[in-house]
Amino acid sequence: MTALTLSTSGAATLRADALVVGIAKGPKGPVVAAGAEAVDKAFDGKLASVLETLGASGAEGDLTKLPALSGLKTPLVVAVGLGPVPEKDDAFPAEALRRAAGTAARALVGVKKAGFALPIESVEDAEAVAEGALLGAYNFTAYQDQADEKDAKKLPLAEVALLGAKPRDKAFKAAAERAIALAEEINRARDLVNTPPNDLYPESFAAVAQAAAKEHGLKIQVLDEKALAKGNYGGILGVGQGAAHGPRLVKISYTHPKAEKSLAYVGKGITYDSGGISLKPAGHNETMKCDMAGAAAVFASVVTVARLGLKVNVTGWLALAENMPSGTATRPGDVLRMYSGKTVEVLNTDAEGRLVLADALTRASEENPDAIVDVATLTGAMMMALGSRTFGIMGNDESFRTAIHEIAEEVGEQSWPMPMPAELRKGMNSDTADIANMGERMGGGLVAGLFLQEFVGEDIAWAHLDIAGPAFHEAAPFGYTHKGGTGSSIRTLVKLAERTADGDLG
Ligand code: BES
Ligand code: MN
Ligand code: ZN
């Protein structure tokens, strides 16, 4: 893991391999941001014009490397774009800082130590830069030969020295600790998502959770096939029964002795979604190792909450199964008796996420938490609606849904509230069972939300995050977002727990 330190030296005296500074996009070319004064001085006050000559604009994503000739103790200067110059007296948006730091960190693969001298006006700014740098300094190389010397270059930036933060100030120190815990767990969730499905299957995922639970003093319970059968978890078993690797339900709990509120986080953990007997066509299953991103997010969030010692109880439920076609697989037309007792006619085995989630939601409801949030790469329809960077939020409680949307916005995650129109329920009417696992094609993401709602305990505030779009990034990397697993929704879930611990919600 990349190390983070709050630097006690200034930009002119820091000894490092590189120094990162910010530039903003002004009306007449790039503008040097606060924090870069020493670098500007080293360039005779001409840093902005030098950068403009090199084609820099200060726009988001813009990155220019310059050799430092004199006046600095670093050989390399990296100037990153922060986007438009803020209105008078305004600071840069936290997400602009986070992304700029991430862009710089990504460009510094193979580098040992870099100083980040971005404009920091507050503790929040410092934390955003730290998060962006640590999330940008990520690379999934577990399956690439590290012994090869030329591949050693791919190792992420080893040390981030944050400039402009007060190293002896309690608030800055706490912010750094929080950024480290959060980024490490997000990066671990990314690893889980990126791990190929031949190595990450329900049993091995559960083992990772068990190890983490031991490390952080969390309570954990793993139900295997036998225990699931004994407990009548028909949804999880029905999805998992076609695979050689059996399903699991993991309960991982963090409790605080003085907690007044409890949250349940429920994650879809399909370690591979082939579609089952309703097999996905070629071109649609190559990235389906990402279908456990919800469970990874839940897992990472619970561990982060524990590391931060928040005054709230959080239970994570990981509904793990591999969705495969075989002679033992659930057939379209089969009826499953769910954990809740409801029967579901499986019309399409590719609508499997809602089946495993339904059981976990019912089970989570039994413990009567103050709120439940489920996270799932649930529908292609949500990607159609919101694109690949925004998750949809549904739920049974408008103010809770709004709160989550606002929290997501605050932590720099793109989301949008979605409705659950009641008239879509009848599309799931079944001739044979209580409900079918599919309804109208139009509004497919909302239909899935309506299905899930049937398995949530009455009077429990519940929100459903459909992260099918942002969970797995297939386009070119940007900011702190790499190709592959992103760790989508973890920052939102952790902030929600913090708000709940502080008594700011419900
Ligand atoms: N895991 C998929 C949804 C998905 C698609 C996630 C693309 C990420 C990227 C889910 O299990 C699924 O297959 N959903 C179906 C539901 C349909 C059969 C009702 C879908 O969206 O097509
Ligand atoms: Mn599916
Ligand atoms: Zn799926």
Side-chain angles (χ1 to χ4, degrees):
M1 273 297 175
T2 304
L4 175 82
T5 52
L6 300 184
S7 177
T8 46
S9 38
T13 54
L14 178 82
R15 283 181 195 281
D17 303 297
L19 190 59
V20 177
V21 296
I23 52 171
K25 189 173 159 66
K28 290 187 234 108
V31 178
V32 175
E37 296 80 4
V39 176
D40 194 22
K41 201 169 154 212
F43 280 82
D44 281 340
K46 298 191 186 90
L47 182 60
S49 69
V50 167
L51 285 166
E52 187 168 22
T53 306
L54 290 169
S57 70
E60 180 193 325
D62 191 39
L63 182 134
T64 312
K65 288 183 178 179
L66 299 166
L69 299 178
S70 65
L72 296 173
K73 301 239 168 351
T74 57
L76 176 69
V77 169
V78 177
V80 271
L82 289 158
V85 177
E87 301 279 304
K88 202 174 163 357
D89 295 336
D90 280 359
F92 285 96
E95 181 63 5
L97 295 172
R98 210 179 273 114
R99 289 189 185 190
T103 299
R106 271 194 300 109
L108 291 169
V109 265
V111 171
K112 251 195 100 227
K113 178 176 177 180
F116 282 67
L118 292 169
I120 287 176
E121 293 189 8
S122 63
V123 174
E124 289 74 29
D125 289 351
E127 192 168 340
V129 172
E131 273 177 23
L134 295 176
L135 293 173
Y138 171 82
N139 219 354
F140 185 69
T141 51
Y143 291 81
Q144 286 162 343
D145 187 5
Q146 287 292 303
D148 193 326
E149 225 175 293
K150 67 180 193 314
D151 280 344
K153 282 205 295 286
K154 288 187 190 165
L155 288 177
L157 170 63
E159 187 182 343
V160 171
L162 193 64
L163 283 79
K166 301 190 183 108
R168 270 171 284 276
D169 182 305
K170 254 189 174 167
F172 280 97
K173 279 204 269 194
E177 289 304 315
R178 184 184 184 275
I180 290 167
L182 188 57
E184 281 183 0
E185 295 313 319
I186 290 176
N187 285 339
R188 190 157 56 161
R190 289 169 164 183
D191 280 350
L192 286 169
V193 172
N194 291 333
T195 299
N198 52 334
D199 280 342
L200 193 88
Y201 41 88
E203 187 185 4
S204 60
F205 193 152
V208 171
Q210 266 161 331
K214 202 166 165 199
E215 187 185 341
H216 299 289
L218 299 165
K219 234 179 109 188
I220 188 163
Q221 186 188 38
V222 179
L223 301 187
D224 61 11
E225 298 103 307
K226 257 184 155 168
L228 290 167
K230 207 166 157 222
N232 301 312
Y233 290 86
I236 297 175
L237 286 166
V239 173
Q241 74 190 36
H245 299 295
R248 297 287 184 275
L249 176 64
V250 177
K251 177 189 183 188
I252 180 164
S253 347
Y254 165 75
T255 53
H256 188 286
K258 294 203 184 112
E260 282 164 15
K261 298 270 176 197
S262 59
L263 295 170
Y265 290 166
V266 178
K268 169 177 173 180
I270 300 299
T271 57
Y272 186 69
D273 183 12
S274 71
I277 298 290
S278 314
L279 193 64
K280 286 181 187 294
H284 289 260
N285 44 27
E286 291 80 357
T287 59
M288 277 305 136
K289 66 177 181 181
C290 81
D291 216 18
M292 36 55 72
V298 164
F299 169 52
S301 301
V302 175
V303 173
T304 307
V305 166
R307 288 180 63 168
L308 298 177
L310 301 184
K311 207 184 113 207
V312 57
N313 294 338
V314 184
T315 300
W317 299 90
L318 319 179
L320 308 175
E322 191 182 328
N323 188 22
M324 294 291 276
S326 78
T328 62
T330 291
R331 294 155 281 253
D334 279 357
V335 172
L336 304 176
R337 185 171 292 278
M338 310 293 278
Y339 180 73
S340 75
K342 255 196 188 122
T343 54
V344 177
E345 184 179 12
V346 179
L347 292 180
N348 189 320
T349 62
D350 199 10
E352 83 297 338
R354 64 198 74 185
L355 297 172
V356 298
L357 285 171
D359 278 1
L361 284 168
T362 309
R363 179 66 190 86
S365 298
E366 282 178 359
E367 313 217 330
N368 235 340
D370 292 296
I372 300 179
V373 182
D374 78 69
V375 188
T377 47
L378 205 60
T379 66
M382 196 54 63
M383 297 180 77
M384 287 289 189
L386 296 177
S388 55
R389 291 192 187 181
T390 303
F391 60 81
I393 314 174
M394 280 148 273
N396 61 2
D397 178 320
E398 198 181 317
S399 71
F400 188 50
R401 191 190 65 194
T402 304
I404 291 181
H405 175 53
E406 286 171 0
I407 285 169
E409 170 89 29
E410 199 182 310
V411 299
E413 295 200 294
Q414 289 169 228
S415 71
W416 203 253
M418 300 296 276
M420 292 201 301
E423 72 276 9
L424 290 177
R425 171 59 181 84
K426 63 179 182 305
M428 292 185 284
N429 286 347
S430 161
D431 293 335
T432 316
D434 297 328
I435 189 171
N437 75 331
M438 244 186 80
E440 288 175 37
R441 200 169 74 86
M442 296 295 173
L446 320 180
V447 171
L450 282 165
F451 180 92
L452 295 180
Q453 183 169 27
E454 307 242 339
F455 297 87
V456 177
E458 269 172 50
D459 307 326
I460 302 177
W462 159 73
H464 158 56
L465 315 186
D466 190 337
I467 61 168
F472 196 80
H473 186 64
E474 292 190 69
F478 69 97
Y480 50 82
T481 304
H482 299 256
K483 279 194 170 208
T486 59
S488 172
S489 82
I490 298 170
R491 284 185 278 146
T492 298
L493 294 177
V494 171
K495 182 63 91 183
L496 174 65
E498 290 174 325
R499 281 289 148 75
T500 309
D502 292 344
D504 294 349
L505 281 170

